[in-house]
Amino acid sequence: MGNADSKLNFRKAVIRLTTKTQPVETTDDAFWDQFWADTATTIQDVFALVPAAEIRAVREESPSNLATLCYKAVEKLVQAAESGCPSEKERQIVLNCTRLLTRILPYIFEDADWRGFFWSTVPGARQDEGNDDGARPLAESLLLAVSDLLFCPDFTVQSHKRAGPDAEEDMQSIDSCEYIWEAGVGFAQSPPLDYIHDLNRTELLKLLLTCFSDAMYLPPSAENNILNRWVTFFSSTDNRHALPLFTSLLNVVCAYDPVGYGIPYNYLMFSDYREVLVEHAVQILIVTLEHEAGAAADTAQHNLDHLHSLSASAMEDKELVGPDNLFVNYLSRIHREEDFSFILKGLARLMTNPLIQNYLPNSTKKIQFHQELLVLFWKLCDFNKKFLFFVLKSSDVLDVLVPILFYLNDARADQSCVGLIHIGVFILLLLSGERNFGVRLNKTYSVRVPMDIPVFTGTHADLLIMIFHKIITGGHQHLKPLFDCLLTIIVNVSPYLKSLSMVAANKLLHLLEAFSTNWFLFSASQNHHLIFFLLEVFNNLIQYQFDGNCNLVYTLIRKRNIFHQLANLTSDPVTIHKALEMKKTTLARISRTNSQESISMDGSRPAVPAEPGTLKASLVAIPAIDKLTKKAQVSEDGTMVCLQRNTHSPQMTADQHTHSLQPQTAGDQHKHSPQSSDTNTSGIAGASNTESNSGRDNEEAFPPVSDPARGCLSRVSASATYWDPTPDWVLSWKSKLPLQTIMRLLQVLVPQVEKICIDKGLTDESEILKFLQHGTLVGLLPVPHPILIRKYQANAGTAMWLRTYTWGVIYLRNVDPPIWYDTDVRLFEIQRI
């Protein structure tokens, strides 16, 4: 009964505020206390009792009253932070003010005239001792108060006081480094769990996230110089709790184990308050870990003692080297291997959670914040290169790779998950720029996760290729811009793949077969780039890993007609015209087929479209692959040397030029081909066209491509702008096709294989594979080309995409309560599928 009266009184107070046309004095505490004193409303109650229409009405008709309400609520938080809110009544006032501000702030941000309100000083406010220019802006007071309250004994942390019950801990002199929430990086003690503390922390973190969401109400900008003032101040030296806050958030996330004691269905019997806290902690982390304009991606690494040795006074040192954002600074300076191990194991455990299978359906709790975890992992690898090298130092990187591939496969046909696939591919692109990643992929894949792929015996490299093949041939049409990225990843790792399975080899040849059809090559100005990438993969495998890749060599021999057709590609106007006509009829047939049947090239559980009514946030376009990457050449000692963009050494051979191909951007239709010499490899004599009959059993999983990669090609071509190919254009890139190595291999091996088949009457592919396994091409192939890796490089376009994606995920994930629902966000558009 009392709770109902409390809600009624709160609602009456809201109505009084909306009906008052005259300003209410700030000194009228009896009126303002109605909103936070003697009430016990939950945050869901506040959202229900304070409708959006009424907030906007007060904003427009009684702006001074709304301003006073915000000021008074912040004032209560500041007073509580100073006193340490020792009484239960004061704690309830803090929670009520927190919930009210969480409700109101988005409507402050959506109005351009109000966006600077919190950064102005309130007339009559008391002077801040550390601010000679006057009172602190309201935003700074709010952020400092919330930071203090996040380390308030008996409210959000366990008290350390040992005196009597009346003893109080001074909030201004408290060393918050002693109150870090969880053991891990920089802190060895594990405080006892207290669900009340977790609930209170969550409420305050929700308010912080709302403060930072100011970024949602600005349109996306190509320039990376728009700072979020809230994040900038919160992560600056003005916040004496910056280090313990960063450490608390990171440790809470990485220490969380959703499985708990392993009791089946335990999440149905007990409420897990820690999960909600972890979810908001990771969201705060990915929002605050953002470089400001002008800061280098690689910050100076210092021989810093363990993080806990930094006291509160050290955080006030203005001479800290690195980014002004202390969260980025601290993250980039972590260096102890035990800390790296704690972080990696924690993230891998959480990423793998949705993959867990057992005999009792739905008996294990599944977390839902895996997208935020991917963004956090990205930022860890991008900002702390020592962490990246630690991840790649052992096979532990595979514990992250497998769940990422699972997410990519599971989301490939879901329109609402395009961003999830992008961030997963970006992570793999970043990892693939390092040699160790390719080496780790050679580990046998023995873990079985629920993915609709054929059962195979092979390595993690085989798994990666199979998943990428499914994304290209069975993914959503909006994934077309990622094709270059997917193939670039395979190119980067290809020099180190010791033994591809027959399944993976067939997948690669299937893609080449699909992309090399005339109508596809001629239908867009950039489609031929995909051929260059795939040929580079085959060349790397032949030149550097021939001995162990008999499956690939066998597949190349079986599918040799593809290479002969490429070498003899006709480019006269009649052929081009016929190819484009075929494109129209093929796309029409694909459209009819797709509407009548579900295309699943392999596996029994194809991805399904998003449920009707699903919301998704729009994303800005990603940069082209040549903006995403920079070229690095691997030297003989294994080190990488970055190559200058758009410069070519005169000593480079034609083959080297070919292998440094960079695709052009979508709008560049005049630069048709990579710069290279005019060495023509297409005139090499081809081997016999006679197909060996061996190995046909393996074709069942890979049907002949009469309509090559039907869905794939329709997605690539359907959205292409008008393009008029010419014979000269075709010749300009055809002459650069790096076919020399492959043609030489076919020229040597095809006659030998045919002779063995005829002499011994072989019909079993295993005998041919055994022959190829013991064969050699030493001295018969061209001089090996240098290994060129396309490493990810930070750029403004990716930073803008990541900001948009991050806030889109946070917007869609915070539905209870729906903090930003129906507000005028401008960073992205919310679309209903």
Side-chain angles (χ1 to χ4, degrees):
M1 187 66 185
N3 190 38
D5 291 340
S6 177
K7 292 180 183 179
L8 181 60
N9 292 335
F10 182 80
R11 179 59 188 154
K12 288 179 179 178
V14 173
I15 294 174
R16 291 191 193 102
L17 181 67
T18 57
T19 54
K20 284 184 179 294
T21 56
Q22 298 299 319
V24 181
E25 294 295 329
T26 57
T27 54
D28 190 355
D29 290 336
F31 176 81
W32 298 115
D33 284 349
Q34 298 175 95
F35 293 97
W36 39 76
D38 301 322
T39 61
T41 54
T42 65
I43 191 167
Q44 288 78 13
D45 293 335
V46 171
F47 272 68
L49 298 173
V50 187
E54 295 184 10
I55 300 175
R56 290 190 175 109
V58 174
R59 187 186 68 193
E60 301 301 326
E61 298 169 13
S62 305
S64 62
N65 287 341
L66 180 60
T68 305
L69 178 65
C70 293
Y71 164 66
K72 296 291 286 186
V74 173
E75 184 183 48
K76 287 294 180 182
L77 294 180
V78 172
Q79 292 172 356
E82 291 175 347
S83 67
C85 45
S87 69
E88 188 60 38
K89 180 178 180 180
E90 288 177 279
R91 294 169 192 164
Q92 189 61 53
I93 289 176
V94 168
L95 293 176
N96 289 337
C97 291
T98 299
R99 294 159 184 166
L100 189 61
L101 287 170
T102 301
R103 178 56 169 160
I104 293 175
L105 275 170
Y107 299 92
I108 298 286
F109 295 152
E110 73 173 6
D111 190 312
D113 294 334
W114 276 82
R115 293 193 70 247
F117 165 70
F118 270 85
W119 293 97
S120 60
T121 56
V122 179
R126 61 187 179 82
Q127 301 293 308
D128 188 90
E129 294 178 358
N131 191 342
D132 297 333
D133 299 328
R136 274 194 181 278
L138 203 57
E140 294 185 3
S141 299
L142 173 58
L143 292 174
L144 293 178
V146 172
S147 298
D148 284 338
L149 289 168
L150 285 169
F151 294 99
C152 183
D154 292 327
F155 181 57
T156 51
V157 293
Q158 194 78 23
S159 175
H160 291 177
K161 64 185 179 183
R162 297 177 182 175
D166 296 331
E168 294 183 8
E169 294 173 275
D170 183 6
M171 286 295 294
Q172 299 309 309
S173 61
I174 195 172
D175 183 0
S176 49
C177 287
E178 299 177 1
Y179 290 86
I180 291 173
W181 300 349
E182 185 60 73
V185 177
F187 196 66
Q189 304 169 19
S190 186
L193 288 177
D194 189 316
Y195 80 95
I196 296 295
H197 292 170
D198 280 356
L199 287 174
N200 295 340
R201 293 167 180 170
T202 301
E203 297 268 14
L204 292 168
L205 291 183
K206 203 184 296 286
L207 174 56
L208 274 182
L209 200 61
T210 308
C211 292
F212 300 154
S213 69
D214 180 43
M216 273 199 237
Y217 299 89
L218 288 174
S221 171
E223 299 181 8
N224 195 29
N225 59 358
I226 299 179
L227 298 181
N228 186 323
R229 288 184 290 182
W230 295 83
V231 171
T232 300
F233 180 80
F234 180 76
S235 57
S236 71
T237 53
D238 290 307
N239 184 357
R240 70 186 182 98
H241 301 293
L243 173 61
L245 270 173
F246 165 76
T247 310
S248 295
L249 296 171
L250 184 63
N251 290 353
V252 159
V253 172
C254 295
Y256 177 57
D257 184 3
V259 177
Y261 296 105
I263 304 173
Y265 304 105
N266 62 344
Y267 67 98
L268 299 178
M269 297 180 284
F270 310 103
S271 296
D272 186 0
Y273 299 102
R274 180 53 59 107
E275 181 189 11
V276 186
L277 174 65
V278 169
E279 182 176 325
H280 283 83
V282 71
Q283 290 175 357
I284 292 289
L285 275 175
I286 62 178
V287 167
T288 51
L289 287 171
E290 184 168 347
H291 259 315
E292 53 269 42
D298 299 323
T299 59
Q301 297 291 324
H302 295 277
N303 293 324
L304 180 69
D305 289 334
H306 199 34
L307 281 177
H308 71 269
S309 66
L310 278 179
S311 63
S313 61
M315 287 185 291
E316 296 176 1
D317 181 9
K318 301 289 185 178
E319 301 302 322
L320 281 171
V321 179
D324 293 336
N325 183 324
L326 293 185
F327 276 46
V328 175
N329 197 323
Y330 296 141
L331 178 66
S332 67
R333 294 163 66 184
I334 298 173
H335 63 279
R336 300 204 322 175
E337 291 213 349
E338 51 265 47
D339 292 337
F340 288 153
S341 178
F342 167 74
I343 295 171
L344 180 58
K345 288 180 179 178
L347 293 182
R349 177 176 59 249
L350 292 174
M351 289 184 192
T352 308
N353 169 262
L355 285 63
I356 295 175
Q357 283 188 310
N358 45 44
Y359 295 106
L360 298 173
N362 302 317
S363 64
T364 303
K365 185 174 187 175
K366 300 290 194 282
I367 63 168
Q368 302 298 320
F369 51 90
H370 49 277
Q371 295 188 81
E372 294 96 315
L373 290 171
L374 291 177
V375 176
L376 178 59
F377 182 77
W378 164 269
K379 290 179 179 288
L380 281 161
C381 291
D382 194 27
F383 292 155
N384 192 322
K385 297 308 178 188
K386 289 184 178 179
F387 175 76
L388 174 61
F389 298 144
F390 176 85
V391 170
L392 296 170
K393 188 173 67 173
S394 70
S395 296
D396 290 344
V397 66
L398 303 178
D399 295 334
V400 174
L401 171 68
V402 172
I404 289 177
L405 292 177
F406 170 84
Y407 299 145
L408 296 182
N409 180 65
D410 194 54
R412 70 182 189 277
D414 190 338
Q415 293 184 43
S416 65
C417 293
V418 173
L420 168 60
I421 295 182
H422 277 68
I423 187 63
V425 171
F426 287 164
I427 290 173
L428 297 182
L429 179 64
L430 179 67
L431 296 176
S432 72
E434 306 298 332
R435 174 185 177 275
N436 276 354
F437 181 66
V439 173
R440 302 303 167 210
L441 290 179
N442 290 305
K443 184 176 181 180
T444 301
Y445 175 67
S446 56
V447 180
R448 298 302 171 197
V449 298
M451 288 191 274
D452 57 323
I453 56 175
V455 177
F456 73 99
T457 301
T459 65
H460 285 78
D462 298 315
L463 177 67
L464 181 141
I465 290 172
M466 292 164 66
I467 297 301
F468 282 12
H469 176 272
K470 291 187 76 68
I471 293 173
I472 293 174
T473 60
H476 188 263
Q477 62 181 355
H478 291 159
L479 299 181
K480 174 201 166 185
L482 285 178
F483 286 5
D484 282 349
C485 280
L486 294 171
L487 295 184
T488 296
I489 294 167
I490 300 178
V491 170
N492 284 347
V493 302
S494 58
Y496 314 109
L497 306 184
K498 295 182 178 180
S499 179
L500 288 185
S501 68
M502 188 67 76
V503 177
N506 274 283
K507 296 295 188 188
L508 289 176
L509 266 295
H510 179 254
L511 290 179
L512 183 67
E513 189 172 9
F515 292 145
S516 62
T517 56
N518 284 5
W519 70 264
F520 175 71
L521 285 173
F522 299 156
S523 62
S525 62
Q526 290 82 36
N527 284 355
H528 64 281
H529 293 152
L530 303 175
I531 296 294
F532 277 83
F533 280 126
L534 286 167
L535 291 178
E536 187 173 350
V537 171
F538 298 137
N539 287 334
N540 283 339
L541 289 165
I542 293 170
Q543 292 279 22
Y544 292 98
Q545 301 294 344
F546 175 82
D547 290 343
N549 275 297
C550 58
N551 290 325
L552 176 69
V553 174
Y554 172 70
T555 308
L556 292 174
I557 292 174
R558 277 186 45 234
K559 296 287 188 179
R560 58 189 177 274
N561 280 344
I562 303 173
F563 304 101
H564 295 314
Q565 290 168 7
L566 275 175
N568 299 299
L569 182 67
T570 53
S571 57
D572 59 275
V574 176
T575 302
I576 293 176
H577 177 73
K578 287 182 178 179
L580 296 180
E581 288 298 317
M582 184 181 295
K583 169 191 171 184
K584 297 178 183 177
T585 57
T586 303
L587 290 180
R589 183 170 65 253
I590 291 170
S591 179
R592 290 195 303 271
T593 305
N594 286 348
S595 63
Q596 295 170 2
E597 63 182 60
S598 175
I599 299 175
S600 179
M601 301 191 65
D602 42 36
S604 59
R605 205 168 59 92
V608 295
E611 291 290 332
T614 300
L615 298 179
K616 80 165 187 173
S618 64
L619 291 167
V620 296
I622 63 170
I625 191 69
D626 58 334
K627 301 295 191 299
L628 277 173
T629 57
K630 58 184 176 183
K631 290 176 289 184
Q633 184 171 307
V634 181
S635 59
E636 292 182 2
D637 61 357
T639 59
M640 291 188 185
V641 180
C642 290
L643 302 179
Q644 291 293 328
R645 183 182 296 274
N646 296 328
T647 60
H648 298 282
S649 170
Q651 288 76 24
M652 290 180 71
T653 65
D655 197 50
Q656 286 173 295
H657 279 300
T658 302
H659 284 274
S660 61
L661 164 68
Q662 290 286 1
Q664 274 71 29
T665 59
D668 187 3
Q669 298 186 349
H670 300 291
K671 299 177 183 178
H672 301 305
S673 63
Q675 297 181 13
S676 69
S677 71
D678 294 329
T679 303
N680 190 345
T681 62
S682 61
I684 299 175
S688 167
N689 289 334
T690 306
E691 276 281 9
S692 168
N693 291 327
S694 61
R696 281 299 177 184
D697 293 342
N698 198 57
E699 284 289 314
E700 292 180 2
F702 305 90
V705 192
S706 55
D707 294 330
R710 294 180 294 179
C712 161
L713 299 192
S714 66
R715 280 182 290 279
V716 172
S717 301
S719 61
T721 56
Y722 176 74
W723 166 245
D724 185 19
T726 64
D728 290 341
W729 169 75
V730 176
L731 289 174
S732 69
W733 56 261
K734 175 190 169 184
S735 62
K736 315 298 190 304
L737 286 172
L739 287 167
Q740 184 179 10
T741 299
I742 298 171
M743 289 304 223
R744 182 60 181 162
L745 176 145
L746 295 176
Q747 190 179 36
V748 172
L749 291 182
V750 169
Q752 296 180 20
V753 171
E754 290 181 338
K755 186 175 186 302
I756 291 177
C757 290
I758 294 172
D759 292 348
K760 297 185 178 182
L762 296 180
T763 58
D764 184 6
E765 70 178 11
S766 61
E767 293 294 327
I768 302 173
L769 289 172
K770 189 179 298 183
F771 165 74
L772 294 173
Q773 194 171 6
H774 294 91
T776 181
L777 291 177
V778 174
L780 299 176
L781 295 178
V783 177
H785 56 273
I787 298 176
L788 290 177
I789 303 297
R790 296 170 181 85
K791 297 171 66 74
Y792 168 79
Q793 65 175 359
N795 60 87
T798 309
M800 188 65 246
W801 182 92
L802 194 64
R803 183 183 306 147
T804 308
Y805 173 65
T806 299
W807 279 114
V809 169
I810 292 173
Y811 179 102
L812 295 173
R813 294 276 295 119
N814 284 272
V815 294
D816 185 25
I819 298 177
W820 302 281
Y821 180 74
D822 202 28
T823 60
D824 188 20
V825 295
R826 302 182 65 193
L827 186 62
F828 46 79
E829 294 180 1
I830 296 297
Q831 304 158 351
R832 188 176 297 275
I833 300 175

